[in-house]
Amino acid sequence: MRRRKFLQRLGITGFWASLWTSLLSALTAVLPASLLPIGLGGCDRALNTKGLVGKVAELDEQGEIYVEYFTDRPLLLVRNPQQKEQLVAVNPTCSHQGCIVKWQADKTAFVCPCHGATFGLQGQVLQGPAEQPLQTFQPRIEGDRIFVS
Ligand code: FES
């Protein structure tokens, strides 16, 4: 008797979990990402495949947005201090030996904490030892959300 009841409950729980998952999938497939709250615009920001990386308010509050896994690599998004409306997005993995560079707004540069390489807003090398630029992305603002492609 107990086993039967357990199996019945397991079946009911599985049914509702399946229904909920299907409903979420249908919502994310039908609605544009701009209408979905962050977290549903691709399930998770870290797994977002539609390019949503955050909100404008978040960027302005924190000064940067860091996404550990944007598709298959990290992403660092900042504002150009000289042209605030211009967003800059790079893969912050240093081309020298792979450390994660930090944004330094006062220097208008991405600086590597490991060996001091410095990169400009277009990802270009300003100071070695790195020889290759940082990979860049194309950010855009839609409403109050920021997308990167
Ligand atoms: Fe960045 Fe060496 S890993 S300068």
Side-chain angles (χ1 to χ4, degrees), residues 28 31-38 40-41 50 52 55 140-147:
T28 56
L31 294 176
S34 59
L35 294 179
L36 295 172
I38 289 178
L40 283 183
K50 296 178 181 173
L52 176 64
K55 291 187 170 185
R140 69 183 186 285
I141 295 176
E142 289 182 18
D144 65 341
R145 294 164 194 260
I146 302 170
F147 294 82

Side-chain angles (χ1 to χ4, degrees), residues 55 60 62 65 69 88 98 115 125 131 138 142 148:
K55 291 187 170 185
D60 292 338
Q62 300 173 0
I65 292 177
Y69 297 104
V88 175
H115 310 107
V125 177
E131 295 179 355
Q138 295 299 315
E142 289 182 18
V148 173

Side-chain angles (χ1 to χ4, degrees), residues 94 96-99 112 114-117 129:
C94 181
H96 180 232
Q97 290 183 359
C99 292
C112 182
C114 293
H115 310 107

Side-chain angles (χ1 to χ4, degrees), residues 4 31 35 53 58 61-62 64 71-72 88 90 101 115 124 128 136-137 144 146:
R4 173 178 280 178
L31 294 176
L35 294 179
V53 296
E58 181 184 1
E61 192 176 298
Q62 300 173 0
E64 65 181 51
T71 59
D72 62 343
V88 175
V90 300
V101 301
H115 310 107
Q124 78 276 21
T136 58
F137 301 96
D144 65 341
I146 302 170

